[in-house]
């Protein structure tokens, strides 16, 4: 009986210390198995007096039951712990912020365009668009560009058929707006334009222009100058100066090109402005009376000014990008920098 107590104590101790399900099974085999300790002691029953045997048998069975219960409890406890650890590992914190998907980045052209639009919309302009595929008439004829003008040269213009082409400038939008017959007009018209140019650091067969036009009574060249001066200051900084150089465009008279003082060196001359101190930004002028007339607007009653700028040129300058091709690759590592 003493031996039996020892076996029980030893079994319970080992169960307590087992710590893992497979170890627990070893304990079961060692004590309750065919060659286990309890089985062995059962065999010693024959050495007892016959009247003592039933009591002894009962005691062995009680110990067996106790060990079995302890095993069962230990097993349940271990399984519970395993389950608990598993749940803990799988826990989801629903209050954590969601992972952000990469959705690309705004293009420097687009950032610059939005800035230009914001400035002119603030001055009461309406943003409008026109078709990329144009009649020769809108792209050239109506803008005083006769058939023998160099801009119409086959190598500059992509023709689709005889008199249908990809617009080479956003100026035809002026004609479309004037033909609508709603005066006065204050429009800003951004868009894609096409020219048969080879790709290099400053050229692309497809680029963008922003056209502007005002038609109203008593519009003068000083309105043009004041407007574009304000634009330059807002776009490139309060200290920006502007300079108008006489130029020629067929659809404006007089015409000019506008330079802004270099916003890098302030006009002293640097690598950025190629030592000039000035950077050419846009073409402009007073809408030619013949252009107004062609759109059924009386030049004795109405006058207007117009301007056109290259969007790529603006964004290259503003963001100090030195190769236009970077604008067309859409490499996210490049775009992310603006
Ligand atoms: N369309 C001209 C070009 O592509 C730019 C331009 C110059 C537009 C003068 C204008 C303007 O509206 O008044 O070179």
């Amino acid at each position: 009986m003493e031996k039996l107590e020892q076996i029980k104590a030893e079994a319970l101790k080992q169960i307590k210390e087992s710590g893992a399900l497979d170890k627990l099974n070893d304990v079961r085999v060692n004590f309750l198995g065919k060659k286990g300790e309890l089985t062995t002691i059962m065999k010693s029953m024959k050495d007892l007096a016959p009247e003592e045997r039933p009591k002894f048998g009962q005691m062995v069975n009680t110990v067996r039951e106790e060990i079995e219960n302890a095993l069962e409890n230990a097993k349940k406890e271990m399984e519970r712990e395993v389950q608990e650890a598993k749940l803990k590992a799988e826990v989801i914190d629903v209050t954590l912020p969601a992972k952000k998907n990469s959705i690309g980045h705004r293009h420097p052209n687009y950032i610059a365009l939005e800035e230009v639009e914001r400035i002119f919309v603030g001055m009461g302009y309406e943003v409008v668009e026109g078709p990329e595929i144009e009649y020769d008439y809108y792209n050239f004829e109506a803008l005083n560009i006769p058939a023998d003008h160099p801009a119409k040269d086959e190598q500059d213009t992509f023709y689709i058929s005889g008199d249908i082409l990809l617009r080479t400038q956003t100026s035809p939008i002026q004609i479309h707006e004037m033909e609508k017959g709603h005066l006065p007009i204050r429009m800003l018209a951004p868009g894609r334009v096409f020219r048969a140019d080879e790709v290099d650091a400053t050229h692309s067969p497809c680029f963008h222009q922003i056209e502007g036009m005002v038609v109203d009574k008593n519009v003068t060249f000083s309105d043009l100058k004041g407007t574009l001066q304000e634009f330059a200051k807002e776009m490139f900084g309060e200290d920006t100066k502007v300079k108008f150089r006489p130029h020629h465009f067929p659809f404006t008279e007089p015409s000019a090109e506008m330079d802004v003082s270099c916003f890098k060196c302030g006009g002293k001359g640097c690598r950025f402005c190629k030592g000039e101190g000035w950077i050419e930004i846009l073409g402009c002028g007073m809408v030619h009376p013949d252009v107004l007339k062609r759109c059924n607007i009386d030049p004795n009653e109405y006058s207007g000014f117009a301007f056109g700028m290259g969007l790529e040129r603006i964004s290259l300058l503003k963001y100090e990008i030195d190769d236009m091709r970077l604008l067309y690759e859409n490499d996210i590592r490049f775009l992310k920098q603006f």
Side-chain angles (χ1 to χ4, degrees), residues 253-268:
E253 179 58 35
S255 304
E257 275 186 337
M258 185 178 89
D259 298 347
V260 295
S261 54
C262 178
F263 35 86
K264 204 86 219 276
C265 66
K268 286 191 223 68

Side-chain angles (χ1 to χ4, degrees), residues 183-186 214-220 301-305:
L183 295 171
I185 294 169
R186 275 188 197 82
V214 171
V215 179
D216 203 348
K217 287 174 179 162
N218 305 315
V219 177
T220 65
E301 200 183 344
Y302 284 95
S303 54
F305 66 75

